[in-house]
Amino acid sequence: MSDAVGKAYPPTLYAVGREKIKEYARATGETDPLHLDHEAARAAGYADLVAPPMFAVVYCGPAMGPAYFDPDLQIDFARLVHGGQEFKWGPLVLAGDEITTVVSVTSIDERAGNGFFTFESVSTNHDGHTVSVGTWTNVVRA
Amino acid sequence: MSAFEPGQELPELTVTPDRYLTVRYAGASGDFNPIHIDEEFAKQVGLPGRILHGLWTMAQVARAQTEAAGGPHTLQRLSVGFRGMGVLEQEIVVTSKVRAVDEDGTVHVDTEATQAGTTIVRRGDAELRP
């Protein structure tokens, strides 16, 4: 199983839509017009509606699935807990962006019978800029 | 924005997830794990009922930072640990305190989220560029 450290999954491409940003912004309680009104975003100097930073979970979603469900990792979902999360952000993501995400396994450990699985996601926009790097820490409880 | 100083507390964010929040967030995020949206399933696996998505709660911690610092562009990094579980229909309070300010203006913030006295997001560590 620890052989999987370093394993990378196929890149996924996510096209960022205006209405999806609004849906996410409303579900997370955002009130900043940059996330809800594309004209306000343009007036503020952005090309289009601005995604909240945590929208990273949306464009990373399709890339994370194959990692969590990788038979090589044998993750027991009944005991899986999301232990921690980190994002580092680059340029803001806007409606109309196309985001490519690559996920890899960065560590697999066992401590006190608990399994620790850490994934890294690296997301890049169509201009080649890294828009976010995520560290996804999961615990499979003993 | 006014300058940030070590020890300064950022405005508290309070939010009460309504009964159907996890359903809307599941649709918005794509995370349809039934422990968040199916009361019976959640109880079958030993939970008190449907629980919040940890990443939704993290989004509240992120929002506390961007609202305090002046917009989404200010948030450079956020790391959190999840503990326990968040539940519906109970107020969540996000508190944040400036730990340090670098020469280049980067603000380091310690932050956490609590619900009914229980810490559900701990060891929150944010970097802001106001």
Side-chain angles (χ1 to χ4, degrees):
Chain A
M1 196 161 61
S2 56
D3 292 352
V5 173
K7 181 174 181 177
Y9 301 90
T12 61
L13 183 63
Y14 183 95
V16 179
R18 235 185 229 171
E19 300 304 328
K20 190 67 190 180
I21 290 177
K22 289 186 208 171
E23 180 190 8
Y24 178 84
R26 284 193 291 262
T28 51
E30 295 286 354
T31 57
D32 190 330
L34 292 179
H35 308 310
L36 298 163
D37 176 350
H38 69 272
E39 288 182 0
R42 284 181 177 163
Y46 296 102
D48 210 312
L49 207 60
V50 178
M54 286 296 293
F55 188 82
V57 306
V58 178
Y59 61 70
C60 286
M64 298 309 301
Y68 281 98
F69 290 102
D70 183 352
D72 284 355
L73 301 183
Q74 299 168 33
I75 291 179
D76 179 354
F77 282 87
R79 297 163 195 259
L80 178 67
V81 178
H82 196 167
Q85 182 71 41
E86 179 187 60
F87 284 107
K88 294 177 191 166
W89 286 280
L92 287 172
V93 167
L94 308 179
D97 283 2
E98 293 201 345
I99 309 295
T100 301
T101 299
V102 175
V103 172
S104 58
V105 181
T106 45
S107 69
I108 299 174
D109 292 304
E110 193 177 308
R111 297 198 291 274
N114 297 312
F116 292 79
F117 295 82
T118 306
F119 300 120
E120 181 184 74
S121 59
V122 178
S123 300
T124 311
N125 67 15
H126 48 277
D127 291 326
H129 294 117
T130 301
V131 292
S132 71
V133 176
T135 303
W136 310 63
T137 305
N138 305 282
V139 185
V140 179
R141 290 174 297 177
Chain B
M1 290 303 296
S2 57
F4 289 88
E5 291 176 10
Q8 180 185 346
E9 291 185 8
L10 304 185
E12 233 175 51
L13 181 147
T14 59
V15 55
T16 303
D18 69 70
R19 188 174 176 77
Y20 301 110
L21 179 275
T22 51
V23 177
R24 292 197 306 283
Y25 182 79
S29 68
D31 181 348
F32 289 93
N33 187 327
I35 60 174
H36 305 301
I37 53 181
D38 183 334
E39 194 75 16
E40 279 181 29
F41 180 91
K43 286 181 174 162
Q44 273 170 19
V45 297
L47 297 168
R50 297 176 298 146
I51 63 169
L52 297 176
H53 296 77
L55 290 170
W56 178 85
T57 312
M58 184 180 179
Q60 305 313 304
V61 174
R63 186 160 67 85
Q65 311 309 310
T66 56
E67 288 182 358
H73 65 284
T74 60
L75 187 57
Q76 305 293 303
R77 189 180 76 80
L78 177 62
S79 68
V80 301
F82 297 110
R83 176 158 206 169
M85 57 195 79
V87 297
L88 293 159
E89 300 185 287
Q90 275 195 40
E91 186 178 73
I92 292 169
V93 181
V94 179
T95 54
S96 311
K97 191 174 188 176
V98 176
R99 183 175 71 248
V101 181
D102 294 345
E103 297 254 321
D104 70 358
T106 304
V107 180
H108 301 265
V109 178
D110 292 322
T111 178
E112 63 176 27
T114 59
Q115 188 178 43
T118 302
T119 303
I120 55 172
V121 171
R122 60 174 175 170
R123 296 195 314 260
D125 181 1
E127 273 179 41
L128 304 171
R129 285 280 186 85

